[in-house]
């Protein structure tokens, strides 16, 4: 009797523990749009105001802030690791050096939020909200941003070098890098549509000009009139690898589906962009997705939103993991 009772109690206890653990596991990985509704009710208004100010000053900043969230999430998850200063950090990794920008805008948002509700909103969440607002204020779609991420304690330079896609990667390599963070081929193509805004430096595409792969000519998958324009920006000799051109030459600062229309006309700027449509490496799947997003702006925007939410969910720190940084550039204990 007694042992039966003990058995019942202990199995109830086991079930309770399992339910409790399950709830913890669930809610630890669970971000929610209302995370700050009590602790910082004005968070969305404050971020929107600061992003608006930044874009009013320079429309390109919308692209820069969108890319910052992407470069954050692909390395150790969306934990603001990209924001940490230090020459051994992600800012000095190849994909970010002389390239990632918008850090001062994030600082300004953080300062405004420390005034509003100090010690409450993570830098990782600021990046996610700023990316959403940048897309919206550039004429793109909006969505409820999931919140509750906490800030990481390390910046992972080698992780950034190996995990972030390169414009010189093949489509297969890019798909593999997305798969490594739980994203699929649909996400590769829809999120590449982020290149409907922002700019790229000559260093990232000038290999397609003048003497592509030693052929003595431009990349054959590059439209000749666009090539001529790009040669003006990046002359063969005496050129500046830091000079930039619009990733979507047709509607530079507008978040639309022209990026995909451009690819169908050989007018993708980066080799990795054009390869989604033109690669002869058997990428029928990416080509079909480009076709469908080129054919329908609304379809692209729905796919983009779904993929942004999936990207924003890459292994976030939640609960008591990590910390809420006071200054996005340093961990609190330093
Ligand atoms: C699919 C693989 C991708 C590759 C190979 C890639 C590569 C690049 C490169 C080389 C640049 C120019 C950087 C420079 O000139 O220094 C760039 C810019 C940009 N990328 Fe990507 N990217 C990829 C995916 C994404 C994703 C997923 C997003 C966001 C959803 C994104 C958003 C942007 C934006 C907005 C810019 C312009 C930034 C600015 O003007 O400051 N990219 N990308
Ligand atoms: C918020 O600011 C108050 C007043 O300056 C300070 O006493 C408090 O420690 C701060 N809290 C956090 C979490 O930074
Ligand atoms: C850095 O990223 C790599 C690749 O994802 C990972 O294997 C490694 O554990 C990370 N290092 C730290 C310190 O987070
Ligand atoms: C990628 O994942 C999304 C969401 O689960 C799904 O709707 C889509 O069909 C997937 N795409 C591919 C190519 O598997
Ligand atoms: C193009 O590159 C190839 C291989 O690197 C080289 O042999 C050739 O001289 C280059 N042609 C020009 C016009 O620079
Ligand atoms: C680009 O700018 C950076 C920072 O100002 C500089 O260190 C680098 O040498 C420049 N690169 C080229 C190719 O001009
Ligand atoms: C983009 O510009 C090119 C060259 O001016 C033009 O041929 C093309 O129709 C434009 N595409 C869109 C989507 O407006």
């Amino acid at each position: 009797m007694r042992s039966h009772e003990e058995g019942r109690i202990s199995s109830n206890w086991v079930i309770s523990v399992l339910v409790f653990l399950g709830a913890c596991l669930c809610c630890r990985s669970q971000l929610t749009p209302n995370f700050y509704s009590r602790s910082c009710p004005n968070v969305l208004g404050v971020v929107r105001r600061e992003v608006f100010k930044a874009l009013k000053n320079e429309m390109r900043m919308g692209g820069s802030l969108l890319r910052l969230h992407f470069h954050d999430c692909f390395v150790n998850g969306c934990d603001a690791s990209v924001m940490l200063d230090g020459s051994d950090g992600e800012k000095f990794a190849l994909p970010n050096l002389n390239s990632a920008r918008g850090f001062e805008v994030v600082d300004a948002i953080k300062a405004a939020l420390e005034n509003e509700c100090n010690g409450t909103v993570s830098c990782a969440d600021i990046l996610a909200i700023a990316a959403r607002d940048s897309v919206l204020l550039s004429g793109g779609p909006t969505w409820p941003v999931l919140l509750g991420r906490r800030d990481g304690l390390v910046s992972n330079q080698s992780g950034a070098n190996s995990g972030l896609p390169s414009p010189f990667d093949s489509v297969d390599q890019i798909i593999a890098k997305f798969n490594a963070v739980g994203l699929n081929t649909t996400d590769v193509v829809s999120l590449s549509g982020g290149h409907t805004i922002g700019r790229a430096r000559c260093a990232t595409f000038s290999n397609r000009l003048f003497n592509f792969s030693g052929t003595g000519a431009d990349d054959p998958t590059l439209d000749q009139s666009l090539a001529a324009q790009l040669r003006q920006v990046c002359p063969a000799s005496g050129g500046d690898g830091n000079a930039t051109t619009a990733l979507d030459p047709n509607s530079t600062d507008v978040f639309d589906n022209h990026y995909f229309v451009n690819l169908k006309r050989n007018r993708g700027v980066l080799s990795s962009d054009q390869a989604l449509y033109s690669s002869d490496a058997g990428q029928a799947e990416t080509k079909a997705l480009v076709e469908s997003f080129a054919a329908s702006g609304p379809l692209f925007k729905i796919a983009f939103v779904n993929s942004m939410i999936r990207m924003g969910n890459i292994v976030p720190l939640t609960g008591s993991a990590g910390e809420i940084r006071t200054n996005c550039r340093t961990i609190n204990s330093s």
Side-chain angles (χ1 to χ4, degrees), residues 91-271:
K91 288 177 180 176
F92 285 78
L94 211 57
N96 290 327
L97 187 63
N98 299 326
S99 178
R101 53 203 297 284
F103 302 116
E104 295 77 10
V105 175
V106 178
D107 290 339
I109 298 170
K110 181 62 176 176
L113 285 172
E114 290 306 283
N115 265 336
E116 179 78 23
C117 51
N118 68 345
T120 304
V121 180
S122 68
C123 300
D125 280 345
I126 291 173
L127 289 171
I129 304 166
R132 188 274 309 266
D133 288 355
S134 292
V135 169
L136 175 63
L137 294 174
S138 301
T142 188
W143 61 94
V145 184
L146 299 179
L147 300 170
R149 300 169 191 80
R150 290 168 63 87
D151 297 322
L153 304 176
V154 293
S155 191
N156 189 343
Q157 188 173 108
S158 62
N161 277 318
S162 61
L164 288 168
S166 151
F168 311 115
D169 280 346
S170 68
V171 179
D172 284 334
Q173 287 170 315
I174 289 172
I175 290 173
K177 287 176 180 179
F178 275 65
N179 288 169
V181 294
L183 301 181
N184 68 20
T185 304
T186 307
D187 301 314
V188 169
V189 180
S190 62
L191 292 174
S192 290
H195 291 174
T196 178
I197 54 175
R199 305 180 70 87
R201 290 169 307 143
C202 290
T204 64
F205 60 83
S206 58
N207 68 311
R208 305 183 70 197
L209 306 172
F210 305 108
N211 194 4
F212 175 67
S213 300
T215 57
D218 295 329
D219 182 339
T221 66
L222 178 58
D223 169 70
Q224 278 307 298
S225 76
L226 179 59
Q229 264 173 260
L230 298 179
R231 282 196 300 263
Q232 301 281 307
V233 181
C234 322
S237 59
D240 175 359
N242 288 327
T244 64
T245 196
L247 280 161
D248 173 7
N250 285 70
S251 50
T252 302
D253 296 321
V254 181
F255 196 99
D256 54 23
N257 71 335
H258 288 177
Y259 167 82
F260 299 102
V261 178
N262 293 342
L263 297 186
K264 291 186 67 178
R265 297 175 179 168
N266 282 355
R267 291 174 65 83
V269 171
L270 304 176
S271 165

